[in-house]
Amino acid sequence: MISKFKWQTLVLCLLAFSSVEALEPATKALKTVSERFQEGQVESPSFRLHVVPLLGRMGCSGRACHGAFKGQGGFQLSLFGYNFKKDHEALMGGDDPRIELDDTEESLILLKPTGLEKHGGKKIMRLDSWQYNILKKWIAEGAKDDSKAVGEFKKLEVIPQEIIFKKPGQTVQLKVFAHWSDGKVEDVTQIARFRTNDDAVATVSPEGLITSKSRGDTHVVAFYDNGITPIPVMYPITDLTGKAYPKVKTSTEVDRLVVEKLKKIGVTPSEKASDAEFLRRVTLDVTGSLPAPKDIESFLTDRSPDKRKKKIDELLESPAYAAWWTTKVCDVTGNNARNQGDNLYRDEFSRQWYDWVYKRVDENMPYDKIVEGIVLASSRKEDQNYEDFTVEMSSYLRDKKPQSFADRPDLPHYWSRRNMRKPEEKALNFSYAFLGVRLQCAQCHKHPFDQWSQEDFKHFQAFFEPIQYGYNREQDRNQFLAVQKDFGAGLGMEMGMNGPNMKNMSAEDKRKTRKQLEEEFKKRVAQGKSAPWKEVYVQRSKLYDPDRNKSSKRGKKYKKRKSRGNRVLTPVILGGEEVVTAQFRDSRIPLMEWLKDSDNPYFARSFVNRVWANYFGRGIIEPADDMNLANPPSNEKLLAHLEQGFIKNNYDIKWLHREILNSDTYQRSWKPNKTNKLDKKNFSHASLRRIEAEVVMDILDQATCGSQDQKTIRAEIEKRSTGPAQSKYRNRNAGYGLTIFGKPARQTTCDCERSNDPTLLQTIYTRNDDDLWKKIENPKGWLGEIAKAEGETLNTVKNYKARASQRKKRNQEMKKAWEQLKKLRGVPGKTAAKKRQKIQKRLELLRSGKDAKSKKKRASSQPMPKPEELVREAFLRTVSRPPSAKELALGVEDLKKADSLTAGTRDLLWALLNTKEFILNH
């Protein structure tokens, strides 16, 4: 017989969501934890299955209590209770044990939570409660640690799997079931933990009761043991759901999956963007450029139905596309001149890095192959000796006919960086760059929102222990000494394994010796000769081999270290199995095989998500570099479609771009309708985005350059901020502008290093920074062309500051003239009348802004552009569209009122560069 409570729950579930999967018979009949451990029940509680989760549910192992870094009251548990051994030892031992086996009821773990002993956390449990019974019975039966005996946790099932509310205040009770490898299934709802990702949409009680609050969609997440399961929770924005939802065209599978989600939440998408909006957006997104004025006019007059598709293909074949997306890859992989391994060639190494990536992006090399060239990179080829390696390295930097570093099959610079020397740094950067996973939390404790524990991190870190940067003394020792000896001979110095002996030198002599060594090194490199280069290599003695570790001298050292608490850990792939790396010549080979496995849950998905974020201002998983179980995608089916298609198409990057760019979803207008004006994560309209720092610098050049440079300035990547120039260690060109507009320093493992937020300094920069005025008033730029046609030279056209000074001087003269005229009023006589007439003429001249002494304009052979043409060109150059009739009329009126067409155009151009329409990608 079904109880009244269960009937109410069932009815609410049926009302709250359109389709709910029925409980499986196996789980339907399961008793709850409270039913199983009532007073008088004979079932034995488990330390791992019941005690540890219960302590977590009551908050004992949380951050604010005994799970804190130093614990509380001399008692510490592992954060979130996932170090079973540590927690069991803490309960049983120490100066103040919480367990009394001889007198169960005197155990502090029972006395403090029930308030019978002073407790900072106050009373959280009653003496007659099932919680008390679990702890009491476990202690009475010996308080055993059964964490290994219970088997492996398999999955956490939450029912219902999706909730759609109909009104605020409605509630649904979650049911949580733990599945174990031996087939055991338990109802753990009452000892699971819950969290809502947006409490403005829905709240969840400690018991798992979800309450609808307001319209929107979010996820509620259930936690138990190593299981984390999110459940989509929605309260439709409007009543336009189900059959009431209007018919929306879905041109692609991307559109179908986006609209499928929008239909559930009652949101209709915006209309498609105009051709001008689309062209500007796609050109900025794909190439980091503005469309040239001629390209805009050509596109707007083109009537072919597939012109957008053709434009996308055209942009993906341009040098600017390869340059901009190389910059994106360099952001994620950390190409920073400051951190390059070799101090003498920081800029050169950074440029080599850029060129290596650019070549592969330009060729559309499959993404997995690009990553393989980075992940498996070593400085030497497999059979190359040290001397040949040093000559090869010098050949890339020699003065005469240097070899192309981009032609190398791999990129060792990724592993030689100064912030990638420690194994943990390598592990963190690898997981960030190629998995989109943040592992920093797991360095110290259990990840709060994912399955990774500190032990998992240490096992993963073990893959990177053998990867070294320096002098490989294990291999070709004699050749290394020979290169050192030859190098020292040029300086008359005796060189050993570690260079010259400077032990007894003074600080000044050491400085001079180091300078000599650097100069000799550069000299030999410039000639393409051998020099003692450092290298990225695999230290084979650090490859994990359980058999060698048991019997060898090194194995004895390992045992000694283990006894001190520094265990040598077996490399284990995240969420996978352990690997004996000694079976491979390189410990990174099994990692790369795991990345390329089609079942890898991170590799393809993280790249797809980052590309999507570039086009929409946010990822399907947001933040795009924080993929964890408690941060689910806003549209799982959409992300899965793109991920599987990317893998199926052999990691073809351009396929991914086309799949997104050709969708109506990408091509929608930024202008919202009544249903989607608050939508930020379901892609029902385009988002307004501040343009990226490098692109801002480039488009300022593109908007102000000469007409003849419109094509070349986009194609010549050497001079562009999205090109290789900005990766130099000390680059003062545009450095200030790039910094204030949020260019990432590439120092940390976080996409958040790039900031697209608006700031006051950005506004000041576009208002009156000298760099901006130099671009606008460049004699070789567009304004210089107009001045030449008008018969002026830009030397006589005053910049903003000069004009301000001129206005101030004119105002002072006008004030003086008015005072003189005031004194002469009412004064009789012809002389006074002549003076008044002269002063009035002077006032009229000052009011007009003209100077009677100004030079006449020189004659020009070039045709003078009409004001209408100049206004139209200014709009096309900046906001990438023709002006409206009203904008055209106002612009022409202002140009006619100006001192000259050059001055008027300068003011118009400056004004357009300071509009939101220019600085935002829309």
Side-chain angles (χ1 to χ4, degrees):
M1 185 173 180
I2 302 177
S3 68
K4 182 180 178 182
F5 172 76
K6 289 183 178 178
W7 270 117
Q8 289 173 339
T9 302
L10 180 59
V11 170
L12 282 173
C13 288
L14 290 171
L15 286 171
F17 42 89
S18 55
S19 61
V20 180
E21 294 186 12
L23 300 181
E24 296 177 7
T27 57
K28 187 177 180 181
L30 289 177
K31 290 183 177 179
T32 64
V33 175
S34 61
E35 291 170 337
R36 292 164 60 194
F37 295 104
Q38 293 177 18
E39 185 68 39
Q41 295 295 321
V42 297
E43 186 174 352
S44 298
S46 160
F47 177 66
R48 178 173 178 177
L49 273 58
H50 307 120
V51 174
V52 172
L54 176 60
L55 294 176
R57 169 67 172 269
M58 294 193 299
C60 303
S61 56
R63 287 191 190 94
C65 200
H66 300 291
F69 181 67
K70 293 184 178 180
Q72 290 285 349
F75 176 54
Q76 184 186 21
L77 293 170
S78 63
L79 186 61
F80 310 116
Y82 287 93
N83 190 328
F84 304 113
K85 184 179 179 182
K86 177 183 175 181
D87 289 349
H88 189 263
E89 289 173 353
L91 288 165
M92 300 298 293
D95 298 330
D96 193 14
R98 259 50 183 177
I99 302 296
E100 294 290 344
L101 293 176
D102 296 334
D103 193 350
T104 299
E105 295 184 0
E106 290 299 309
S107 298
L108 290 177
I109 197 175
L110 296 175
L111 296 175
K112 283 180 174 285
T114 52
L116 297 177
E117 279 262 346
K118 186 179 179 181
H119 184 220
K122 300 181 181 178
K123 183 177 180 179
I124 58 174
M125 186 171 66
R126 299 193 320 271
L127 284 169
D128 60 349
S129 66
W130 58 267
Q131 295 95 329
Y132 183 88
N133 291 337
I134 286 177
L135 296 176
K136 179 182 174 182
K137 192 168 181 62
W138 174 68
I139 297 169
E141 293 179 354
K144 296 174 183 177
D145 177 6
D146 61 353
S147 55
K148 293 182 180 178
V150 296
E152 185 181 344
F153 178 81
K154 190 176 179 183
K155 71 171 183 176
L156 191 67
E157 178 188 10
V158 181
I159 296 175
Q161 296 177 355
E162 182 181 87
I163 298 172
I164 301 177
F165 285 113
K166 298 295 183 184
K167 59 183 180 180
Q170 208 169 359
T171 61
V172 169
Q173 175 65 50
L174 293 179
K175 298 288 286 181
V176 184
F177 301 96
H179 295 253
W180 298 84
S181 57
D182 61 359
K184 178 168 68 265
V185 180
E186 289 199 6
D187 182 337
V188 295
T189 307
Q190 294 173 320
I191 49 176
R193 294 180 292 116
F194 301 95
R195 189 194 81 161
T196 177
N197 285 354
D198 188 349
D199 56 12
V201 175
T203 59
V204 62
S205 71
E207 293 75 27
L209 184 69
I210 302 177
T211 303
S212 170
K213 289 295 181 183
S214 61
R215 297 183 184 274
D217 65 301
T218 185
H219 285 82
V220 169
V221 189
F223 302 82
Y224 172 82
D225 196 86
N226 210 27
I228 301 173
T229 301
I231 300 298
V233 177
M234 291 163 267
Y235 176 14
I237 303 297
T238 69
D239 294 330
L240 298 175
T241 59
K243 292 181 179 179
Y245 194 77
K247 188 175 181 180
V248 176
K249 181 183 176 183
T250 53
S251 305
T252 68
E253 183 64 8
V254 168
D255 299 323
R256 189 187 71 76
L257 294 170
V258 169
V259 171
E260 182 181 290
K261 172 70 183 293
L262 296 179
K263 191 174 182 179
K264 290 180 179 180
I265 59 175
V267 168
T268 56
S270 295
E271 298 297 321
K272 287 180 73 170
S274 67
D275 283 345
E277 279 183 338
F278 164 77
L279 181 62
R280 187 178 203 267
R281 183 193 305 166
V282 75
T283 309
L284 283 168
D285 281 341
V286 175
T287 68
S289 311
L290 285 175
K294 287 183 180 179
D295 292 340
I296 299 169
E297 292 182 315
S298 174
F299 189 77
L300 295 182
T301 56
D302 186 354
R303 293 290 176 260
S304 58
D306 61 344
K307 66 178 183 179
R308 294 192 179 193
K309 182 178 181 297
K310 287 179 180 177
K311 177 56 68 174
I312 290 166
D313 291 340
E314 176 192 321
L315 294 172
L316 289 173
E317 296 304 318
S318 66
Y321 156 75
W324 181 220
W325 284 88
T326 294
T327 297
K328 295 276 188 180
V329 174
C330 288
D331 282 349
V332 173
T333 52
N335 179 12
N336 179 340
R338 182 184 294 272
N339 285 330
Q340 296 300 328
D342 193 294
N343 290 338
L344 298 180
Y345 295 98
R346 287 174 169 177
D347 288 345
E348 291 81 358
F349 275 25
S350 184
R351 175 58 192 264
Q352 289 174 352
W353 188 325
Y354 182 95
D355 290 345
W356 189 93
V357 176
Y358 179 90
K359 183 176 189 292
R360 284 146 184 81
V361 173
D362 188 47
E363 294 171 351
N364 198 34
M365 178 180 280
Y367 177 65
D368 62 328
K369 296 297 181 185
I370 296 175
V371 173
E372 187 171 357
I374 298 173
V375 171
L376 299 182
S378 293
S379 295
R380 290 199 231 176
K381 300 181 183 74
E382 194 170 347
D383 299 322
Q384 190 177 35
N385 63 44
Y386 181 72
E387 184 176 4
D388 289 345
F389 153 70
T390 60
V391 173
E392 181 190 335
M393 281 299 294
S394 296
S395 73
Y396 299 129
L397 298 163
R398 65 193 178 203
D399 290 341
K400 294 181 180 179
K401 296 181 180 180
Q403 289 187 13
S404 170
F405 184 88
D407 292 336
R408 277 185 62 110
D410 55 9
L411 180 64
H413 298 338
Y414 173 80
W415 298 102
S416 67
R417 286 178 293 159
R418 297 157 68 87
N419 60 346
M420 282 271 283
R421 298 295 166 80
K422 298 176 182 177
E424 58 266 33
E425 291 171 338
K426 296 182 177 77
L428 289 173
N429 199 287
F430 180 93
S431 64
Y432 159 74
F434 307 121
L435 304 176
V437 173
R438 299 178 185 177
L439 287 178
Q440 287 88 336
C441 290
Q443 277 186 282
C444 304
H445 54 73
K446 168 72 171 62
H447 196 295
F449 307 125
D450 215 326
Q451 58 187 306
W452 317 124
S453 64
Q454 187 180 30
E455 195 79 354
D456 291 327
F457 179 81
K458 289 178 178 177
H459 280 290
F460 184 63
Q461 175 187 308
F463 279 105
F464 305 99
E465 294 276 357
I467 312 306
Q468 304 292 319
Y469 176 69
Y471 298 117
N472 186 357
R473 294 175 174 85
E474 284 187 355
Q475 190 177 351
D476 294 341
R477 179 185 177 90
N478 292 334
Q479 283 213 355
F480 175 75
L481 285 169
V483 170
Q484 285 278 56
K485 186 178 180 180
D486 183 51
F487 178 71
L491 294 167
M493 293 183 187
E494 188 175 331
M495 304 281 283
M497 287 293 291
N498 299 310
N501 186 359
M502 295 191 288
K503 188 176 181 181
N504 298 319
M505 288 185 185
S506 65
E508 181 62 20
D509 288 341
K510 286 180 180 178
R511 187 187 65 77
K512 289 180 180 178
T513 302
R514 290 192 185 99
K515 190 174 182 180
Q516 283 181 300
L517 292 171
E518 288 178 3
E519 289 173 353
E520 177 66 14
F521 195 98
K522 288 181 177 180
K523 178 182 172 183
R524 292 178 69 88
V525 170
Q527 295 170 352
K529 293 182 179 179
S530 171
W533 285 98
K534 291 181 179 179
E535 60 177 313
V536 174
Y537 63 96
V538 179
Q539 189 172 339
R540 294 195 59 81
S541 60
K542 288 193 174 184
L543 294 173
Y544 177 76
D545 184 346
D547 296 329
R548 180 184 64 201
N549 293 345
K550 288 176 185 176
S551 58
S552 66
K553 290 181 180 178
R554 184 171 179 79
K556 291 175 183 177
K557 273 187 187 177
Y558 278 2
K559 286 181 181 178
K560 196 170 183 180
R561 280 171 55 194
K562 183 175 178 180
S563 66
R564 293 175 184 166
N566 286 323
R567 288 184 299 152
V568 177
L569 296 175
T570 310
V572 178
I573 285 169
L574 288 176
E577 298 179 354
E578 65 179 47
V579 178
V580 178
T581 51
Q583 295 175 354
F584 303 87
R585 60 178 174 79
D586 188 331
S587 58
R588 298 168 295 180
I589 291 175
L591 272 182
M592 193 62 227
E593 291 175 352
W594 172 61
L595 289 184
K596 293 168 70 173
D597 190 318
S598 60
D599 292 330
N600 185 294
Y602 307 106
F603 179 56
R605 175 168 281 223
S606 63
F607 183 73
V608 164
N609 192 50
R610 277 187 167 120
V611 172
W612 184 277
N614 175 79
Y615 290 133
F616 291 88
R618 63 172 290 131
I620 303 172
I621 294 174
E622 180 65 19
D625 62 335
D626 191 14
M627 295 176 64
N628 65 70
L629 294 174
N631 183 31
S634 59
N635 192 324
E636 170 58 40
K637 290 182 180 179
L638 172 64
L639 185 56
H641 162 70
L642 293 170
E643 175 191 14
Q644 290 159 14
F646 186 47
I647 296 170
K648 186 178 178 180
N649 284 275
N650 299 315
Y651 299 92
D652 184 338
I653 298 173
K654 287 185 180 178
W655 173 88
L656 178 60
H657 288 306
R658 290 188 179 97
E659 185 72 4
I660 297 171
L661 296 171
N662 282 305
S663 69
D664 292 344
T665 302
Y666 173 76
Q667 296 181 23
R668 296 205 183 282
S669 171
W670 63 271
K671 298 169 186 173
N673 55 44
K674 290 181 180 179
T675 69
N676 70 0
K677 60 185 178 182
L678 298 179
D679 177 34
K680 293 182 179 180
K681 59 185 177 183
N682 291 299
F683 317 111
S684 60
H685 59 80
S687 59
L688 295 173
R689 296 171 272 140
R690 219 285 323 282
I691 294 171
E692 294 91 337
E694 300 93 328
V695 181
V696 170
M697 294 299 107
D698 281 348
I699 65 176
L700 286 172
D701 289 334
Q702 292 160 17
T704 56
C705 72
S707 300
Q708 299 301 316
D709 297 329
Q710 281 292 329
K711 284 288 183 185
T712 56
I713 200 169
R714 289 163 172 78
E716 292 179 356
I717 66 167
E718 288 294 328
K719 298 176 182 178
R720 293 190 53 170
S721 294
T722 51
Q726 298 308 328
S727 56
K728 290 183 177 179
Y729 176 42
R730 288 186 175 89
N731 179 23
R732 304 196 177 184
N733 266 340
Y736 173 69
L738 287 169
T739 300
I740 64 169
F741 279 98
K743 181 183 184 295
R746 299 174 180 169
Q747 295 271 33
T748 66
T749 53
C750 183
D751 286 356
C752 58
E753 260 200 314
R754 178 179 290 281
S755 172
N756 291 336
D757 295 331
T759 67
L760 178 60
L761 283 176
Q762 294 166 13
T763 304
I764 294 171
Y765 181 90
T766 55
R767 292 287 192 277
N768 63 359
D769 193 89
D770 286 343
D771 284 347
L772 179 73
W773 282 109
K774 286 175 184 176
K775 294 175 190 292
I776 293 175
E777 299 187 334
N778 181 1
K780 295 181 180 180
W782 183 47
L783 206 63
E785 291 175 358
I786 299 169
K788 190 174 181 181
E790 198 176 15
E792 289 194 19
T793 62
L794 275 180
N795 292 332
T796 64
V797 178
K798 305 300 180 183
N799 63 23
Y800 179 81
K801 293 179 180 178
R803 293 201 316 277
S805 175
Q806 196 177 45
R807 281 196 301 270
K808 185 177 179 182
K809 185 178 179 180
R810 189 165 63 240
N811 289 338
Q812 289 172 346
E813 287 187 38
M814 288 176 68
K815 185 178 179 182
K816 185 178 179 181
W818 273 111
E819 288 172 353
Q820 290 173 345
L821 190 62
K822 191 175 179 182
K823 289 178 182 178
L824 289 171
R825 280 176 186 169
V827 177
K830 291 182 179 180
T831 305
K834 285 182 180 180
K835 285 183 179 180
R836 282 196 297 270
Q837 191 177 11
K838 186 178 179 180
I839 292 170
Q840 284 172 344
K841 285 183 178 180
R842 178 63 181 161
L843 278 169
E844 286 176 11
L845 198 65
L846 289 169
R847 282 195 199 100
S848 68
K850 297 177 181 177
D851 187 352
K853 298 178 182 178
S854 62
K855 297 177 183 177
K856 290 184 179 180
K857 296 177 183 178
R858 61 181 175 78
S860 173
S861 59
Q862 294 185 8
M864 186 61 208
K866 296 177 181 179
E868 293 85 352
E869 295 172 345
L870 293 175
V871 174
R872 183 178 177 84
E873 177 80 2
F875 271 77
L876 292 173
R877 281 172 169 267
T878 54
V879 294
S880 309
R881 63 172 176 83
S884 66
K886 183 178 180 181
E887 289 167 335
L888 181 62
L890 288 171
V892 169
E893 184 182 349
D894 286 345
L895 258 62
K896 288 179 177 178
K897 286 181 180 178
D899 295 351
S900 65
L901 282 179
T902 306
T905 305
R906 178 191 55 227
D907 290 348
L908 174 61
L909 182 59
W910 175 85
L912 287 168
L913 292 175
N914 279 281
T915 59
K916 288 181 181 179
E917 192 174 356
F918 174 76
I919 206 68
L920 294 178
N921 189 346
H922 47 81

